[in-house]
Amino acid sequence: MLEELEEIRKRHLEMIKAAADPESLNEERVSALGKKGDLTSLLKTLKNIAPADRPAAGQRINAVRREIEQALAEATSRMEAKQQEIRLSQETIDVTLPAKRIRYGHSHPNTKALREMEKIFIGMGYEVVEGPEIEKDYYNFEALNIPANHPAKDEQDTFYINGEMLLRTQTSGTQIHEMEKGKIPIRMIAPGRVYRADEVDATHSPVFHQVEGLVVDKGITFADLKGTLDMFAKELFGADTRTRFRPHHFPFTEPSAEMDVSCFKCGGKGCRFCKGEGWIEILGCGMVHPHVLEMSGIDPEVYSGFAFGVGLERIALLKYGIDDMRLMIENDERFLKQF
Ligand code: DAH
């Protein structure tokens, strides 16, 4: 029996030494010390030897058991130390790696142009207001002197939600909302998104932005309109900028005009930028039509006003020398990061 014990001892100590991972170590523990393990089986054969020899044999078996337990414990802690070492080496942080650069965003050229315009008008005592993008036909057309079947309605074809509601084609409806509040004087600009059933090309988009302006008070004249918009143009495009007003027609203003600024590339001599004209058209304007005042509850015998509407993209394109409006909405970083 003692020879068998010695064989078991040697074999298991070898196996423990050779175990490569915790799983095989555990298998080894079971096969040596488990219920059906070699040592347990050997213990059961004790009854077959002479009673006088049993205590010594039992002690010997227990000594081997302790030896194997000890070897298992040592192997386990050896493996744990090794795994700890592997884990630590995997978790090592290389502090010499260059840091990830934080890339800061910035405002879109449209937003930049808008902020600049807002600053100019706020400086002249104007308030910045907003109107709804989903608008009643009444505010977008009717109250602006564009009744059903008016040809101007054709030029501003839009997306109808139902017979009464539409996506606004112009920010001019904001004028009506402000006038209906009944607080005069009014000095406001209203920037916002507008919609038209237009195809996309270099100068058109079904979605774009306008900035509306309205002043209503006692004694407002066309001279106020000219002075204000001339000042605006000089602030926006430079002190040398000159303006000219060409007669035009808008249903909600009378008289109406379009304002041109002298070309800020050539100073008015004529170049490619202004197509040889020397002038660049930038906005529509006029004296608020008495009927429009009246419909909004303002007495045209007491009050008068002027209004204007600017295409925001147009200003941004001109100011930053961009030649295609599609660039403004394509979200191409190579374009946007130039501003
Ligand atoms: N709403 C006009 C348009 O979309 C622009 C405009 C012209 C606005 C004259 C005005 C104005 O307030 O007085 O074409």
Side-chain angles (χ1 to χ4, degrees):
M1 198 202 79
L2 286 181
E3 278 143 46
E4 199 181 337
L5 180 62
E6 185 52 24
E7 187 275 321
I8 291 172
R9 189 184 82 93
K10 267 196 181 148
R11 179 158 49 85
H12 283 291
L13 289 178
E14 285 292 312
M15 301 272 276
I16 290 168
K17 230 191 227 169
D21 48 52
E23 287 75 41
S24 35
L25 208 56
N26 204 40
E27 273 166 31
E28 187 41 40
R29 181 193 312 277
V30 174
S31 94
L33 312 174
K35 259 192 211 154
K36 292 180 181 153
D38 293 341
L39 276 184
T40 321
S41 311
L42 198 64
L43 217 49
K44 283 178 190 156
T45 67
L46 267 186
K47 59 181 187 299
N48 301 337
I49 62 174
D53 295 337
R54 280 182 205 163
Q59 271 172 21
R60 183 69 197 126
I61 294 176
N62 277 332
V64 170
R65 180 183 191 88
R66 276 194 301 277
E67 201 179 343
I68 291 178
E69 276 170 351
Q70 172 94 21
L72 280 169
E74 277 170 15
T76 305
S77 54
R78 213 184 330 112
M79 268 178 206
E80 277 173 0
K82 185 131 188 209
Q83 278 182 337
Q84 169 92 339
E85 206 174 286
I86 292 171
R87 216 171 30 246
L88 282 178
S89 75
Q90 281 169 346
E91 284 174 7
T92 305
I93 297 166
D94 182 354
V95 291
T96 65
L97 267 182
K100 278 194 188 148
R101 278 251 296 279
I102 297 174
R103 301 196 313 147
Y104 292 98
H106 62 75
S107 299
H108 189 275
N110 240 351
T111 310
K112 281 193 162 173
L114 175 59
R115 295 288 171 261
E116 207 166 315
M117 286 167 66
E118 285 177 344
K119 214 170 105 192
I120 296 169
F121 281 104
I122 288 168
M124 292 197 270
Y126 284 60
E127 197 185 342
V128 180
V129 302
E130 271 182 43
E133 284 174 36
I134 300 173
E135 183 61 289
K136 286 191 167 144
D137 183 287
Y138 176 78
Y139 289 96
N140 197 74
F141 293 121
E142 200 85 22
L144 289 163
N145 243 356
I146 309 171
N149 305 322
H150 192 287
K153 235 175 153 166
D154 242 17
E155 284 163 28
Q156 300 194 3
D157 191 14
T158 184
F159 307 94
Y160 282 83
I161 286 152
N162 56 37
E164 192 195 4
M165 304 297 291
L166 45 78
L167 297 185
R168 67 177 176 188
T169 61
Q170 48 187 354
T171 44
S172 302
T174 325
Q175 293 185 31
I176 310 299
H177 289 291
E178 283 307 297
M179 288 194 284
E180 283 184 349
K181 289 182 186 162
K183 270 197 263 161
I184 297 174
I186 297 170
R187 242 182 264 115
M188 64 126 215
I189 58 166
R193 198 173 288 147
V194 298
Y195 303 82
R196 296 202 188 167
D198 278 341
E199 296 287 336
V200 176
D201 66 25
T203 53
H204 291 88
S205 162
V207 185
F208 60 102
H209 300 78
Q210 290 184 331
V211 181
E212 193 75 18
L214 175 69
V215 172
V216 177
D217 202 353
K218 283 181 180 160
I220 299 293
T221 69
F222 202 91
D224 296 306
L225 178 157
K226 279 186 82 169
T228 304
L229 294 181
D230 184 76
M231 170 76 101
F232 163 65
K234 286 178 163 57
E235 292 277 336
L236 193 62
F237 294 114
D240 296 335
T241 308
R242 285 161 293 120
T243 53
R244 79 173 180 191
F245 293 80
R246 282 178 291 100
H248 201 78
H249 172 261
F250 297 104
F252 39 91
T253 45
E254 181 57 36
S256 304
E258 277 186 332
M259 183 175 91
D260 298 340
V261 294
S262 54
C263 176
F264 38 81
K265 279 267 153 83
C266 65
K269 287 199 280 302
C271 64
R272 252 186 40 207
F273 194 71
C274 56
K275 300 190 183 78
E277 289 282 318
W279 295 95
I280 299 167
E281 179 205 318
I282 65 159
L283 58 81
C285 56
M287 300 305 290
V288 183
H289 197 294
H291 188 225
V292 171
L293 289 173
E294 214 164 18
M295 280 189 282
S296 301
I298 293 173
D299 186 351
E301 298 295 329
V302 182
Y303 296 103
S304 57
F306 69 82
F308 54 92
V310 193
L312 179 58
E313 278 80 0
R314 179 154 175 76
I315 297 294
L317 295 188
L318 286 172
K319 233 187 125 51
Y320 304 120
I322 304 163
D323 59 7
D324 194 324
M325 189 160 142
R326 286 169 287 201
L327 288 165
M328 304 287 268
I329 44 178
E330 279 168 353
N331 241 358
D332 187 331
E333 227 186 295
R334 291 167 302 179
F335 166 76
L336 290 173
K337 74 180 178 198
Q338 301 173 63
F339 299 93

